[in-house]
Amino acid sequence: MNRLMSLFTNNPAGRRGYLKYDAYKYIGTGMLFMFLVLLATVYLSPLLYMGSTALKSEVQLSDPDDPIIPQGAKTYHYVSPDHESFKYTYRRPVTLEYNGEEMPVYEVIAQGQILNYALVDAETALFIDTGNIEAGPVELDIDISSLKRAIERERLEVPLYDVDVNGETKRLGLIEKYEDGSTLWMDPENINVEPVRLPIEANPDNLVRTESDLRLYHVPIDGETKVLALLESKRNSATFVDPDNPEELIKLDDIRVRGLDSVWELEFHPENFKDAIDQIEYFRLFRNTLIMSVIGGFGAMISATLVAYGFTRFNIPYGNILFLILLATIMLPPQVTQIPTYIVFREIGWIGTLLPLIVPHFFANAYNVFLLRQYMMGIPLELDDAARVDGANPLQILWHVIIPEARPAMVAAYLFHFLFAWNDFQQPLIYIGGNEDNQVLAVGLQRFTQIYSSQQHLMMAAGILTMLVPLAVFFLAQRIFMQGVVITGVEK
Amino acid sequence: MTTEIDTTSDIQADLRTEIAEPRLTPRRAQILWGYLFLAPWIVGFLVFIAGPMLASLYLSMTNYSIGSDRPTEFIGLDNYKRMFALDIQKGDEGEEIVFKPGYQEWTSVGDYHIGAEDHRFWQSVEVTLKYAVVALPLSLALALFLAILTNIRVPGVTVFRTLFYLPTVIPAVVSASVFLQFLRQQDGWLNNYALEPFGITGPDWLQNPEFAIPTLTLIATWGIGTTMLMFLAGLQNVPTELYEAARVDGANFFSRFWHITVPMISPVILYNLVIGLIGTFQYFTIAYALTADVQMGGRDLSMYFYNMHVYREAYVFFEMGYASALAWILLIIILIVTVAVFRTSTRWVYYAAGGR
């Protein structure tokens, strides 16, 4: 009160004192809050890893500078100013210009020699000797169809075009343009095929240019950092393209590309989840796990409710001793009972089915009975008595009085079992064995992890898919759940 | 009233009259109803616990093996003898040690080399005890620390409680697969983001046998949610008057913690310790999932836990007789440790109001 009063007086000392106290309190809370945030972040960082890795691609993961948040290296789509060409030896049919006309030249064997004669007139078989044009045309007694055209080898660098041929885009090399607008083309993938003359013109827009996605880097130049695309890198030098001015190449000496920072942009790969679903056959595993957990949880809840009701509402001889035995079973390692149980299950053919993972839970487990007993002891006996006066039998009392009251604890028991069953690994490992048709998620995931250990992204996606249901259950029923934990634990 | 009738009447006659004309007194009806409701557990106990226990005790004295041509024989305590049989040889450096036939080296102390008929048994006991001694106290301490932190009134404290509890509901297999990557030497986040910035070259958490127990301890911190909640409930039951009185007497935070908090929550510590010990002896999934790809138990069997040895004998080799003996020894170890903890607990556990 004095402190409060001092706020309104002009006593500077008192006022400062109060503020100081207040400030300490807020600074303390604030620091603690920050500390908790930090601690929670560190503590849950494996989850962050999981989420981020599940959304990355294999390429992103293999990048040594891969950032935490799924990001891909930003690239620049570079089109080189030069077009692509193809080195081609063109076997050009020789022609002779005579009287302003192009005459085809043939190889004619005469006097044991191969001579080149140009055909002047096919009907009269009039030829002209290319080596001796002045001699004028001569008539040769020769079958023109048996003659071979004279060939001249010409080394060309033919520019490549993307040409539309009969509705199909083909990459062809342009050999020659003719005056009538038609063009002669060769196929670089099939150089032995004769060039084809097409009735189209060569469009410079269709020239093939080198296109590539170049990775962008923050490059320091003259004290400035510019975003440049890396075209080529050598040991100590590199050539860059400036996206703002792609015509000009920037060649830098004395630069190490590995030391440069890439430009990153967000890039998510949710398709990992689809791949993981396909590869681990998620839906089959999910179905089996769900059947096991739902039915088992039902059995655990019902049986624990009945037994807890028996322990709390009926004064039976040796009840306390039975209850102690029940609690003692918590300490019993399952291995002791598991081996004979396994042998029996094997004999009756249950190994490889879900039955060993469901049926035993219909016989009440100590934790759940304890949880429900603690809860039921808090339900007033007067409610039972009132019902009994009305003529209700114990079953009716259970149904109409106890169950409505004990519902939160029953839900907790159900959820405990559900989560236990969903997350359990060792029992399915033993009982399902190699029968993949009845496999459950925990074992399926472990097998998958073992086989695909190099595919981190798929492993993490599969992991998230496996823990989805437990997490959802936990968040939806958090309070019931956490209260249940405390009841089973502390009251003991 | 009813007891009088019960004791005086001849049982046979009583039964006969009951069959002839059912005469249920309210007391008997109650007992009958009570047992009816207990029936699921009683049947379950007989079929799934008591019966199998006796069967496994008997099996542990046979050489029974599924699918083996060997005739099953009663062999008395031979399984137990095989388990514990040791052969100690002194050998100088460089000298080749020759154990009895069938024995393999388990460990060495100085010049003494200890061979065992089942060296995996001893190895698994060693690993399990190491883990119990290292991981359990650290997990308890961290759980208590988190409980104290989230017991302070800070905005959003329930959110923090949920976050710290969260990893507990994650399937152990999933945790293992995350840590398999998180702890990788080259590009794991722990080495990359937590150690490298401080100039520490991170160890090979998963492959180096010397780091087996530290690695599992690290992973164990992800499963402390339940323990934390127990501590939290315990802390909230400590009467605030005690703290106020101590503050008036001038006690600082640490002495308040040591002289008030610890004694007041010591029953919870005991409970968590016992549950943790039992859990440790049954530890399986994480170690199995971490090491299944190379050999179960990891390099040099540095993550080979007792439960894995039972699993291997029973469900890999189907040596059910020997595995039963292992299981019974496990039960005996758990009983001894638990009884020992409870014995010492009278010295350090404080029960308010005279205990329960």
Side-chain angles (χ1 to χ4, degrees):
Chain A
M1 199 60 196
N2 271 343
R3 277 200 179 118
L4 205 66
M5 285 308 291
S6 66
L7 265 182
F8 304 101
T9 63
N10 283 329
N11 181 350
R15 190 169 180 168
R16 209 180 299 136
Y18 179 69
L19 284 177
K20 218 165 124 190
Y21 173 80
D22 232 26
Y24 272 142
K25 215 174 91 188
Y26 284 118
I27 290 172
T29 312
M31 274 169 62
L32 186 66
F33 182 79
M34 295 304 287
F35 180 67
L36 281 171
V37 169
L38 185 75
L39 200 65
T41 312
V42 171
Y43 191 62
L44 296 178
S45 57
L47 279 185
L48 183 67
Y49 171 84
M50 218 179 164
S52 112
T53 307
L55 290 169
K56 288 178 183 173
S57 72
E58 227 169 336
V59 178
Q60 281 166 288
L61 282 167
S62 60
D63 195 313
D65 299 326
D66 177 36
I68 293 180
I69 305 296
Q71 290 177 82
K74 200 174 175 182
T75 54
Y76 167 67
H77 188 77
Y78 174 67
V79 181
S80 82
D82 312 322
H83 55 74
E84 277 184 37
S85 57
F86 186 80
K87 286 204 172 73
Y88 176 62
T89 308
Y90 178 42
R91 296 154 61 87
R92 180 190 293 280
V94 182
T95 53
L96 177 77
E97 202 180 317
Y98 184 69
N99 287 346
E101 269 183 79
E102 295 274 321
M103 309 290 177
V105 177
Y106 290 91
E107 291 180 344
V108 176
I109 302 170
Q111 295 131 27
Q113 270 183 307
I114 298 175
L115 297 170
N116 283 355
Y117 280 89
L119 180 66
V120 179
D121 185 29
E123 272 174 36
T124 54
L126 213 56
F127 285 88
I128 194 162
D129 186 355
T130 52
N132 191 4
I133 297 170
E134 288 78 36
V138 283
E139 211 170 297
L140 293 179
D141 184 18
I142 237 168
D143 180 12
I144 299 170
S145 61
S146 72
L147 287 175
K148 258 173 78 186
R149 279 292 292 268
I151 297 292
E152 197 175 45
R153 280 164 205 274
E154 196 176 348
R155 293 185 68 82
L156 294 174
E157 215 168 287
V158 291
L160 292 175
Y161 285 76
D162 283 324
V163 185
D164 194 38
V165 185
N166 301 332
E168 219 182 313
T169 305
K170 284 188 127 185
R171 187 152 289 189
L172 298 177
L174 177 67
I175 299 172
E176 204 147 25
K177 292 180 188 169
Y178 297 107
E179 278 167 14
D180 61 356
S182 66
T183 40
L184 188 67
W185 301 90
M186 53 76 59
D187 184 355
E189 280 170 17
N190 220 341
I191 53 170
N192 293 326
V193 170
E194 283 288 304
V196 191
R197 192 164 173 170
L198 297 173
I200 50 170
E201 279 187 59
N203 184 352
D205 289 346
N206 294 340
L207 271 170
V208 176
R209 290 173 200 278
T210 316
E211 286 180 52
S212 49
D213 289 320
L214 304 180
R215 194 161 170 167
L216 288 168
Y217 288 92
H218 295 285
V219 186
I221 303 174
D222 310 327
E224 250 186 294
T225 305
K226 284 186 96 174
V227 173
L228 299 178
L230 178 70
L231 185 63
E232 200 185 6
S233 74
K234 296 208 173 92
R235 179 179 290 215
N236 275 323
S237 69
T239 311
F240 292 94
V241 179
D242 186 350
D244 298 332
N245 181 16
E247 303 288 307
E248 225 171 283
L249 299 184
I250 304 167
K251 193 166 188 303
L252 294 175
D253 293 323
D254 238 18
I255 196 155
R256 296 194 61 204
V257 173
R258 291 202 63 176
L260 294 175
D261 291 329
S262 298
V263 180
W264 299 101
E265 64 184 348
L266 290 179
E267 182 190 323
F268 298 104
H269 291 270
E271 73 271 11
N272 288 343
F273 286 95
K274 200 191 161 293
D275 293 350
I277 285 173
D278 291 344
Q279 290 201 25
I280 65 171
E281 296 182 60
Y282 180 71
F283 293 113
R284 181 170 49 82
L285 297 176
F286 186 89
R287 187 198 65 204
N288 292 335
T289 316
L290 198 67
I291 291 174
M292 172 183 80
S293 307
V294 166
I295 302 180
F298 193 69
M301 179 182 76
I302 298 292
S303 58
T305 307
L306 293 175
V307 174
Y309 181 56
F311 272 124
T312 48
R313 290 301 199 262
F314 298 90
N315 184 16
I316 45 177
Y318 310 117
N320 285 339
I321 293 175
L322 285 178
F323 190 66
L324 278 180
I325 294 175
L326 174 87
L327 287 186
T329 59
I330 290 179
M331 271 175 47
L332 188 73
Q335 290 82 354
V336 175
T337 56
Q338 213 166 46
I339 291 166
T341 316
Y342 177 88
I343 295 170
V344 171
F345 283 152
R346 207 180 136 97
E347 286 299 315
I348 58 176
W350 280 14
I351 299 301
T353 71
L354 291 170
L355 289 171
L357 303 171
I358 295 173
V359 174
H361 300 295
F362 277 77
F363 297 92
N365 127 312
Y367 281 105
N368 293 331
V369 173
F370 186 72
L371 170 79
L372 279 154
R373 188 194 90 123
Q374 296 303 103
Y375 201 90
M376 284 184 192
M377 290 207 310
I379 301 172
L381 282 170
E382 288 80 33
L383 292 177
D384 299 41
D385 292 339
R388 199 170 295 119
V389 167
D390 290 347
N393 67 28
L395 261 180
Q396 287 166 326
I397 294 172
L398 174 67
W399 185 253
H400 293 290
V401 178
I402 303 292
I403 288 183
E405 289 286 322
R407 201 171 281 156
M410 287 172 70
V411 173
Y414 186 88
L415 293 180
F416 278 139
H417 183 85
F418 185 89
L419 286 187
F420 160 79
W422 194 282
N423 296 353
D424 188 26
F425 174 73
Q426 200 184 359
Q427 293 211 22
L429 180 72
I430 291 168
Y431 290 131
I432 302 289
N435 187 355
E436 294 305 318
D437 285 342
N438 288 328
Q439 199 52 276
V440 296
L441 271 171
V443 180
L445 178 75
Q446 194 274 325
R447 300 250 158 98
F448 181 72
T449 305
Q450 208 173 315
I451 298 166
Y452 294 94
S453 57
S454 58
Q455 302 205 304
Q456 301 174 38
H457 53 304
L458 293 186
M459 263 168 73
M460 291 301 97
I464 289 176
L465 290 168
T466 306
M467 69 182 198
L468 221 52
V469 169
L471 282 190
V473 166
F474 170 64
F475 277 115
L476 289 177
Q478 216 191 100
R479 277 189 54 189
I480 292 176
F481 196 77
M482 284 174 142
Q483 279 169 1
V485 169
V486 172
I487 291 174
T488 38
V490 171
E491 287 295 311
K492 200 169 160 191
Chain B
M1 182 185 80
T2 45
T3 44
E4 263 180 41
I5 298 166
D6 275 339
T7 45
T8 50
S9 62
D10 175 27
I11 295 166
Q12 295 262 317
D14 194 49
L15 273 174
R16 236 176 286 128
T17 46
E18 260 199 41
I19 293 162
E21 109 190 57
R23 187 163 44 97
L24 275 172
T25 63
R27 169 75 188 134
R28 274 199 189 169
Q30 201 190 21
I31 293 173
L32 214 65
W33 276 109
Y35 279 122
L36 191 70
F37 286 116
L38 291 196
W41 175 68
I42 293 173
V43 171
F45 179 75
L46 294 176
V47 173
F48 291 110
I49 294 174
M53 271 179 82
L54 293 176
S56 107
L57 188 62
Y58 175 75
L59 277 177
S60 76
M61 293 179 221
T62 69
N63 62 357
Y64 179 65
S65 163
I66 291 180
S68 153
D69 299 333
R70 185 181 67 205
T72 302
E73 286 170 15
F74 185 82
I75 54 169
L77 296 177
D78 281 4
N79 282 330
Y80 296 94
K81 279 186 200 151
R82 179 183 150 203
M83 210 182 294
F84 288 103
L86 287 177
D87 179 23
I88 303 172
Q89 300 277 341
K90 189 175 190 298
D92 296 322
E93 244 185 79
E95 208 175 308
E96 203 185 324
I97 317 288
V98 184
F99 292 110
K100 287 185 202 165
Y103 283 55
Q104 266 183 290
E105 174 150 354
W106 157 47
T107 186
S108 61
V109 183
D111 287 342
Y112 291 93
H113 297 262
I114 306 174
E117 193 170 352
D118 183 5
H119 72 286
R120 282 171 172 267
F121 165 75
W122 289 100
Q123 177 67 20
S124 69
V125 170
E126 185 190 327
V127 170
T128 310
L129 288 181
K130 268 190 198 163
Y131 181 79
V133 169
V134 178
L136 194 55
L138 283 173
S139 309
L140 289 183
L142 181 68
L144 182 56
F145 176 66
L146 290 180
I148 290 171
L149 276 184
T150 52
N151 196 32
I152 305 172
R153 282 162 56 96
V154 175
V157 73
T158 49
V159 176
F160 287 113
R161 277 177 207 159
T162 308
L163 288 179
F164 290 129
Y165 186 80
L166 187 66
T168 310
V169 287
I170 295 175
V173 188
V174 177
S175 309
S177 76
V178 177
F179 279 102
L180 261 179
Q181 301 182 8
F182 196 80
L183 298 177
R184 294 213 302 203
Q185 188 179 23
Q186 298 300 329
D187 56 353
W189 277 21
L190 181 68
N191 284 357
N192 239 350
Y193 293 116
L195 298 181
E196 219 182 74
F198 298 101
I200 304 167
T201 310
D204 193 344
W205 297 96
L206 296 164
Q207 301 296 329
N208 187 344
E210 283 178 24
F211 279 90
I213 298 295
T215 300
L216 294 175
T217 307
L218 194 74
I219 299 176
T221 61
W222 238 35
I224 57 168
T226 307
T227 320
M228 183 193 79
L229 283 191
M230 300 290 172
F231 278 134
L232 198 59
L235 289 171
Q236 288 178 344
N237 283 342
V238 181
T240 44
E241 299 89 60
L242 290 177
Y243 290 117
E244 276 155 23
R247 201 175 280 135
V248 168
D249 290 348
N252 65 21
F253 175 80
F254 292 102
S255 74
R256 284 202 305 269
F257 174 74
W258 193 248
H259 294 291
I260 297 172
T261 311
V262 171
M264 288 304 284
I265 62 162
S266 55
V268 188
I269 298 179
L270 174 68
Y271 171 80
N272 281 333
L273 185 64
V274 171
I275 292 293
L277 276 170
I278 294 171
T280 301
F281 289 114
Q282 288 162 28
Y283 191 82
F284 182 81
T285 306
I286 298 271
Y288 180 92
L290 284 185
T291 61
D293 55 335
V294 190
Q295 71 157 333
M296 183 170 64
R299 214 162 266 191
D300 295 349
L301 296 181
S302 54
M303 294 188 187
Y304 194 72
F305 280 78
Y306 197 97
N307 198 354
M308 291 163 103
H309 193 43
V310 180
Y311 171 82
R312 184 172 181 267
E313 292 293 335
Y315 307 106
V316 179
F317 297 134
F318 294 110
E319 286 290 344
M320 295 307 191
Y322 188 61
S324 298
L326 285 171
W328 269 90
I329 291 298
L330 176 62
L331 176 60
I332 290 166
I333 295 175
I334 290 182
L335 282 179
I336 290 173
V337 173
T338 316
V339 167
V341 169
F342 272 109
R343 277 279 164 82
T344 64
S345 74
T346 50
R347 281 190 223 144
W348 57 271
V349 174
Y350 168 79
Y351 287 102
R356 246 192 278 209

